[in-house]
Amino acid sequence: MLNVDGLYVDYGSVNVLKDLSFSAKPGSFIALLGPNGTGKSTLLKAVAGLIPARGSVCLGGIRKLARQQSADAFAYMPQDTGATSSLTVLEVVLLGRLRSLGLQVPGSLREEAEEGLSRFGLQSLGARTLDAVSGGQRQLVYLAQSFFRNPEVLLLDEPTAALDLRHQLIVLDRVAAHCRENGTIAIAAMHDLALASRCADRLICLSAGEIVADGPPADTLTGPLIKDMYGIEADVVHGTGGITHITPLRAVEGAIGGLSSSPQ
Amino acid sequence: MSVNIESSAVYTNLIARRLWWLLVVASLLVTMTIIDILVGPAFLNVFDVLGALLTPEQTSDPTVYVIVHSIRMPMTLMAMVVGASLGIAGAQMQTILGNPLASPYTLGFSAAAGFGAAVTILFGLQLPFIPEFTVPIAAFISAGLACGLVYGFAHLRGVTAEIMILAGIATLFLFQSLQSLVQYLASPEVLQEIVFWLFGSMLKATWFSVAVSGSILVFSFLLLVNDSWKLTALRLGDERARSLGVNVHRLRLKIFVIVSLLTAGAVAFIGTIGFVGLVAPHIARMLVGEDHRVLTPVSGIVGAIMMVGASIASKLISPGMVVPIGIVTAVVGVPFLFALILSRKKGHW
């Protein structure tokens, strides 16, 4: 069980997150929604223990985790896939288990890493360098690395931003299945509301650093909420099988939730 | 899920290719080392040199023995140690600063060492009991001072690559200016001595300098091997390395201290040597990639090859004399660097 209680994050004098609290059961897949600059990435980093925050993050009843324990329990996948390197794709995945790597890499670990690549259809790219694959493939490599870490909590920052439609569906279905099968908690910051409603079993909506809605997609995502969060009018129809149709109609005048308080 | 045969061979092939390159560069270094010992202004017979090397007790001419054992061998071994130290230091510097133009000199250690040496020469300072080591010790202390300056600044302001580069470049300019001031104040004779030190010359090498610089190299290498995977992770950027559990700030400071130690150990005895620390890591990266388990030793070997090659060239340029090696590395280094940039492979820079 993940319990986040009274979480505050400040960047200088700007309060980016204000008194955020929520819990997540093992196996749950939560989509984190909200406009740009509203604190989604900050929340993920704060939960992962990568930036200073006030409040508490407890996993399995344990509050303070040492750096390495925290890295073992929480796998944070940053949004940026632009940074390139001449490391090979296989090495990038192997780095997911940094602590198990010595001068020699155990055969079982290699096979597991290669299996991880196969799971994302990357088996033929293992020897390719990271700078020789596309942005979308790079995102899949980092996803394979996050899965390879086998964490208790997957924290994914816009995991499908560089992917085509087919891969977006495949990746999010794989995240949902991984959570169900392994009891992993996944929290993914996303912008595609329809996709989030279809794949996640819970939505947490942020506006200006505060939670404005939290619940199952069908109950949470409504026209008024979208208007409050994003400053647009939209038709929202929840169909069968978790399919949500969202038709944006027009932008509303005035400031929107996140950008006005966006940290620079 | 089963892994296909092609996929499971990926890692084995990668490692085999890297070990092959390691073997190739190591063999090249051994060959060049032998050539360097054979070549010299004394025009010794190849068989006499080999005899003095392999069966010293049977050497009939004591002059040959003295030249080979007391002059050529320390010079060659020192070239190897200095090249390896600078190559390894450069590779680590480029990793921790995330900058392809970083080298052991970026943060001003070499300029500081030069300043320390210049001050000692200017004032004719001499330590009691060990006067011949006054200049190397002063150079070493001065480089340590530069390291402390950058370290302290980074510690106060944040251990990011940008802060360290800024603090380092400021330190570099500070010590370069102080070095120029010392040169300006020096008499023509002293100035000549200072300039000769700054050139970098293997003629200053002794068995003692080989032992000291070699020990620093071995000690630093062992420390670096321990952090190989963390350094490899740092190539993915600070944020990703941090998310993988690497204490990026601590790692950066630790490697910074090791690099300053390596650089000071390399330049304190023989003076300033340019370009090896910048170019050797790039060649190594092109051959074996970013895996620091292999990149670190290969950078060292490539650096040693460059220095031993420069040492051979310094003896051949003008028969009968030895041109300071610092001049040769810079002259050979610049066109080599340009050629590398022109033939650059994406991602290596």
Side-chain angles (χ1 to χ4, degrees), chain A residues 45 80 91 102-103 149, chain B residues 8 18 229 239-240 243 293:
Chain A
K45 286 182 206 172
D80 173 39
E91 283 166 334
L103 272 183
R149 292 169 70 174
Chain B
S8 60
R18 286 168 187 171
W229 281 107
E239 193 171 47
R240 287 191 190 279
S243 81
R293 288 175 303 164

Side-chain angles (χ1 to χ4, degrees), chain B residues 189-269:
Chain B
E189 296 76 28
V190 173
L191 179 63
Q192 194 179 8
E193 206 182 328
I194 291 172
V195 169
F196 180 71
W197 192 92
L198 292 175
F199 274 157
S201 170
M202 284 301 152
L203 290 172
K204 300 167 199 156
T206 61
W207 281 110
F208 178 77
S209 65
V210 171
V212 172
S213 300
S215 305
I216 291 174
L217 173 65
V218 172
F219 174 67
S220 306
F221 179 74
L222 293 176
L223 286 177
L224 290 168
V225 164
N226 203 34
D227 284 326
S228 291
W229 281 107
K230 287 181 188 168
L231 285 161
T232 307
L234 203 56
R235 295 296 299 179
L236 295 175
D238 281 17
E239 193 171 47
R240 287 191 190 279
R242 210 172 285 128
S243 81
L244 292 168
V246 178
N247 187 337
V248 173
H249 285 192
R250 198 161 64 190
L251 179 70
R252 193 168 271 140
L253 284 180
K254 179 182 169 184
I255 301 302
F256 167 74
V257 172
I258 295 174
V259 167
S260 55
L261 191 66
L262 270 171
T263 313
V267 302
F269 287 103

Side-chain angles (χ1 to χ4, degrees), chain A residues 45 50 68 71 76 78 80 86-88 90-91 95 98 101-103 105 110 114-115 127 131 142 149, chain B residues 1 3 7-8 10-11 14 18 229 232 235-236 239-240 242-247 290-291 293 346-347:
Chain A
K45 286 182 206 172
L50 298 174
Q68 192 56 59
Y76 167 67
D80 173 39
S86 55
L87 278 173
T88 64
L90 183 65
E91 283 166 334
L95 283 171
L98 195 61
L101 300 172
L103 272 183
V105 179
R110 280 168 4 210
E114 287 168 3
E115 208 174 289
D131 50 40
Y142 286 124
R149 292 169 70 174
Chain B
M1 192 180 290
V3 180
S7 165
S8 60
V10 168
Y11 185 82
L14 270 177
R18 286 168 187 171
W229 281 107
T232 307
R235 295 296 299 179
L236 295 175
E239 193 171 47
R240 287 191 190 279
R242 210 172 285 128
S243 81
L244 292 168
V246 178
N247 187 337
E290 301 270 14
D291 180 347
R293 288 175 303 164
K346 197 184 158 200

Side-chain angles (χ1 to χ4, degrees), chain B:
Chain B
M1 192 180 290
S2 66
V3 180
N4 63 36
I5 295 167
E6 184 197 352
S7 165
S8 60
V10 168
Y11 185 82
T12 319
N13 289 343
L14 270 177
I15 294 299
R17 196 175 67 100
R18 286 168 187 171
L19 291 179
W20 161 250
W21 276 117
L22 185 64
L23 197 70
V24 168
V25 290
S27 309
L28 187 61
L29 178 60
V30 171
T31 312
M32 290 182 68
T33 303
I34 294 168
I35 295 171
D36 192 34
I37 294 173
L38 292 176
V39 176
F43 300 111
L44 298 180
N45 183 303
V46 172
F47 297 105
D48 288 346
V49 176
L50 286 176
L53 268 178
L54 303 173
T55 52
E57 67 284 353
Q58 292 172 17
T59 307
S60 52
D61 187 349
T63 315
V64 175
Y65 179 84
V66 170
I67 288 175
V68 171
H69 282 265
S70 304
I71 300 173
R72 290 194 185 178
M73 279 180 72
M75 279 173 70
T76 302
L77 290 176
M78 196 63 190
M80 279 172 69
V81 168
V82 168
S85 299
L86 295 178
I88 290 174
Q92 312 312 320
M93 211 57 154
Q94 287 167 11
T95 295
I96 63 165
L97 299 182
N99 191 322
L101 293 175
S103 82
Y105 298 164
T106 310
L107 303 188
F109 307 144
S110 177
F115 168 70
V119 166
T120 319
I121 297 168
L122 175 70
F123 292 110
L125 301 175
Q126 287 202 327
L127 288 170
F129 310 115
I130 43 167
E132 67 272 32
F133 298 126
T134 309
V135 172
I137 289 172
F140 201 89
I141 291 172
S142 189
L145 197 69
C147 164
L149 254 177
V150 181
Y151 186 104
F153 191 77
H155 205 69
L156 287 174
R157 194 63 190 85
V159 194
T160 62
E162 292 80 8
I163 291 285
M164 289 183 84
I165 290 174
L166 270 175
I169 286 178
T171 308
L172 173 72
F173 277 99
L174 172 71
F175 280 103
Q176 271 178 349
S177 302
L178 292 172
Q179 207 182 88
S180 301
L181 180 67
V182 171
Q183 288 177 338
Y184 181 76
L185 295 174
S187 66
E189 296 76 28
V190 173
L191 179 63
Q192 194 179 8
E193 206 182 328
I194 291 172
V195 169
F196 180 71
W197 192 92
L198 292 175
F199 274 157
S201 170
M202 284 301 152
L203 290 172
K204 300 167 199 156
T206 61
W207 281 110
F208 178 77
S209 65
V210 171
V212 172
S213 300
S215 305
I216 291 174
L217 173 65
V218 172
F219 174 67
S220 306
F221 179 74
L222 293 176
L223 286 177
L224 290 168
V225 164
N226 203 34
D227 284 326
S228 291
W229 281 107
K230 287 181 188 168
L231 285 161
T232 307
L234 203 56
R235 295 296 299 179
L236 295 175
D238 281 17
E239 193 171 47
R240 287 191 190 279
R242 210 172 285 128
S243 81
L244 292 168
V246 178
N247 187 337
V248 173
H249 285 192
R250 198 161 64 190
L251 179 70
R252 193 168 271 140
L253 284 180
K254 179 182 169 184
I255 301 302
F256 167 74
V257 172
I258 295 174
V259 167
S260 55
L261 191 66
L262 270 171
T263 313
V267 302
F269 287 103
I270 60 149
T272 311
I273 304 291
F275 280 99
V276 174
L278 174 68
V279 178
H282 285 293
I283 298 171
R285 209 171 283 122
M286 284 179 180
L287 299 177
V288 296
E290 301 270 14
D291 180 347
H292 275 250
R293 288 175 303 164
V294 193
L295 178 66
T296 301
V298 172
S299 295
I301 295 173
V302 171
I305 290 172
M306 289 178 74
M307 275 299 284
V308 174
S311 169
I312 296 170
S314 72
K315 294 179 207 170
L316 295 178
I317 286 174
S318 178
M321 67 177 284
V322 180
V323 176
I325 197 167
I327 298 172
V328 182
T329 51
V331 170
V332 173
V334 175
F336 193 68
L337 180 67
F338 285 171
L340 268 178
I341 293 168
L342 290 174
S343 64
R344 69 179 244 182
K345 203 172 141 186
K346 197 184 158 200
H348 284 296
W349 298 81

